[in-house]
Amino acid sequence: MSNHYKTCFLIDDNYIDNFVTRRILESSNFAETVIVSQSASEAIESLRSGKVVPDVIFLDIRMPLMGGFEFLQEYDKIDIDNKKAIKIFMLSSSLDPTDLKKSVNNKYITNFIHKPLTQKALDEIDT
């Protein structure tokens, strides 16, 4: 795989998960740039301001202050140019069937991927 995407935005509060996920994304040349945010609210501001213009977002569900589903509620309210083209993957260790159902039913979620992100999961992403 070689740089199918220009910018990948990783939103997860866990430093270790971010480190591992970023390494996998970079070693597979998944995107030209990988940007990491440990705060969903800061990620919303980065999107709203145009500081980050991603093609792909990997989003954790369980985060303090603003979780993944709250992020999606705020994401729905912002106006960004390429919104319909952005692929959002819920990347979570959650085994809660409610989380999976909410992900499947959310218009912005492309797919639900269980942590940790693997090369196999990346290879299965439709580009």
Side-chain angles (χ1 to χ4, degrees), residues 42-79:
E42 287 177 13
I44 284 291
E45 288 308 313
S46 294
L47 292 167
R48 184 179 284 130
S49 69
K51 181 180 174 189
V52 177
V53 183
D55 304 294
V56 177
I57 297 174
F58 286 98
L59 177 65
D60 188 22
I61 293 175
R62 308 242 187 270
M63 295 181 280
L65 304 178
M66 180 188 284
F69 291 112
E70 291 86 4
F71 169 90
L72 291 166
Q73 289 172 342
E74 292 303 309
Y75 180 80
D76 190 50
K77 298 174 189 174
I78 61 176
D79 183 29

Side-chain angles (χ1 to χ4, degrees), residues 21-57:
T21 302
R22 183 181 201 146
R23 294 292 301 217
I24 290 168
L25 291 168
E26 289 176 345
S27 68
S28 68
N29 292 315
F30 183 77
E32 289 176 31
T33 306
V34 177
I35 299 169
V36 178
S37 177
Q38 287 186 257
S39 162
S41 56
E42 287 177 13
I44 284 291
E45 288 308 313
S46 294
L47 292 167
R48 184 179 284 130
S49 69
K51 181 180 174 189
V52 177
V53 183
D55 304 294
V56 177
I57 297 174

